[in-house]
Amino acid sequence: VDFDDKPDSLFFKDGQRRIDFVLVYEDESKKMTHKRSDRKKQKRKRQVYESNLINNGLQLEATRSVLDEKLVFVKVHAPWEVLCTYAEVMHIKLPLQHNDLKTRHSAFNWFSRLFRVDENIIKPEQEFFTAPFQKEHLSNFYIQDKDTFFNPATRSRIVHFILSRVEYATKNNVKKFGINKLLDTGIYKAAFPLHDSSFKHLSTDPSCPSERYLLYREWAHPKNIFKLQPLDFIRKYYGEKIGIYFAWLGFYTNMLTVAAVVGVGCFLYGCLTKDNCTWSQEVCDSSIGGKIIMCPQCDKVCTYWNLTITCESSKKLCIFDSFGTLVFAVFMGIWVTFFLEFWKRRQAELEYEWDTVEYLEQEEQVRPEYEARCTHVVMNEITQQEEYVPYTACGKCVRMAFCTSAIFFWILLIIASVVGIIVYRLSVFLVFSAKLSQHISGTEAIRKYLTPQMATSVTASLISFVVIMILNIIYEKVAILITDFELPRTQTDYENSLTTKMFLFQFVNYYSSCFYIAFFKGKFVGHPGNPVYWLGKYRNEECDPGGYLLELTTQLAIIVGGKAIWNNIQEVLLP
């Protein structure tokens, strides 16, 4: 009834005002989980917030959920005046007139057309000359219809900008504001813009373009894996930020395809030439390797052993430790450079086509969290004018020192976990050396491959992977808390700071165990009769006689493969 029997409606009850954002809260009078005083406080904060939204020009309409009476949906609409005001504040670029410049088409245009989306289904976007919006020059902009001048992505972006800055309480002269804080404290259950339709079928509303349905059918569906992405359409529906992400993802995937082909070629070369590997032949030769007796790899339970025992592992090692691997390493060094330079070109093209070239040059808006804490007055050395900042120079140094210390603490925690894995490897190798052969009652082939070294390597790699993923999940939350405490001025500063922290941590987290195997394992073992011990009782690990490359490959395969499976579970199987 609320929607006049139009379940796909994107408008208020009057059918005129578009829903730009939706806020969801649980009716405080029907909540049973909190104290009555807490419910009253939450209701008061919500009412103040909604009142301030109205004072900022937004229009609200509440609708109770059909499925759950406790839930209330607050529909938010931004009228024309509000959109114009904040478009100017946010420096949003909008169309002035049609772009009448002739575009040069590539010589391969006919070929790329075979992989493009059908232009009859998703029509090419019209190109315009654009400029940052200014209300005083309203007549210069290309306005055919006020309802469509701001596309849904821009409307939602403007409304979110307002929602993030509206106050709901003041405590100790510090303003509390923003939808994110209200979501964190549970006053609102959710806040989101609406899709225009279901992705499974067209909207029943004849005025709805069903762009989400078209994106799914012509872009996101697995059958379109070999088609070029409709980037202009993605940008129109989701905005520039998500558009540039998928542009990068598609470019990266295409470049990885080249690297994958070369990698498979080098791997096949290793497989074909493994039988011609000189040192592997010598290890397997009974007249050479069969006459070489090796010292015990552990005390008491280990015995002397013959070098020919490592025959099979030396053959496997020749697959990776070959001339093909050297070629692939050199190729990847060149590939990285080409990838970076070609991406810069592609990014410049998109910046020109989407008119975002001057975006970074314009004054970026200060984050509301930063603005709210600006209580200290300082003199700007350049403009010689007083400015409000959230902390003094001393306060900034304290924050930076705390944040740096926190990052170093977590990196040291990773190193501690690696040391723990090393101790596990040393202790469990003794157990496998003593008992593995007794418990394997299978064929000779199983005995040949399931050696104490291999069992230790695989189990340690699996444990290392689990530790890596747990630390990664925890640190992701810690990094956000550290960056919030750091209080960067703009959103770009915030994202750069968070990215740096995540990169430093993840680099050490993912690859510290690989660094150990590649550069430290087997380097400090002493000599026969005088081995080196860890913690006074664990004899230091030795490399396989063939080298460490097979173990390093196992470690990398488990980490990279496990991470890929985990990410796909998160992105595909979970909603």
Side-chain angles (χ1 to χ4, degrees), residues 116-124 218 227:
R116 286 184 196 157
V117 176
D118 188 348
E119 292 184 357
N120 295 320
I121 299 173
I122 296 181
K123 294 177 181 177
E218 301 298 326
K227 281 188 179 180

Side-chain angles (χ1 to χ4, degrees), residues 167-184:
E167 183 185 338
Y168 65 84
T170 304
K171 187 175 182 181
N172 299 328
N173 293 325
V174 176
K175 294 178 181 177
K176 293 189 174 182
F177 58 89
I179 189 63
N180 292 335
K181 291 271 182 72
L182 293 169
L183 289 169
D184 291 341

Side-chain angles (χ1 to χ4, degrees), residues 88-144:
E88 184 171 357
V89 170
M90 296 169 69
H91 306 290
I92 293 175
K93 293 179 110 176
L94 292 163
L96 288 169
Q97 65 179 55
H98 281 288
N99 185 348
D100 55 0
L101 295 176
K102 291 182 179 179
T103 55
R104 289 175 60 188
H105 293 292
S106 167
F108 299 100
N109 198 46
W110 63 271
F111 181 73
S112 63
R113 195 179 291 120
L114 299 173
F115 299 97
R116 286 184 196 157
V117 176
D118 188 348
E119 292 184 357
N120 295 320
I121 299 173
I122 296 181
K123 294 177 181 177
E125 293 297 309
Q126 287 183 306
E127 292 189 10
F128 291 92
F129 293 113
T130 65
F133 185 78
Q134 291 182 328
K135 286 173 76 174
E136 59 185 34
H137 300 303
L138 189 64
S139 58
N140 295 331
F141 287 88
Y142 186 79
I143 304 174
Q144 284 188 313

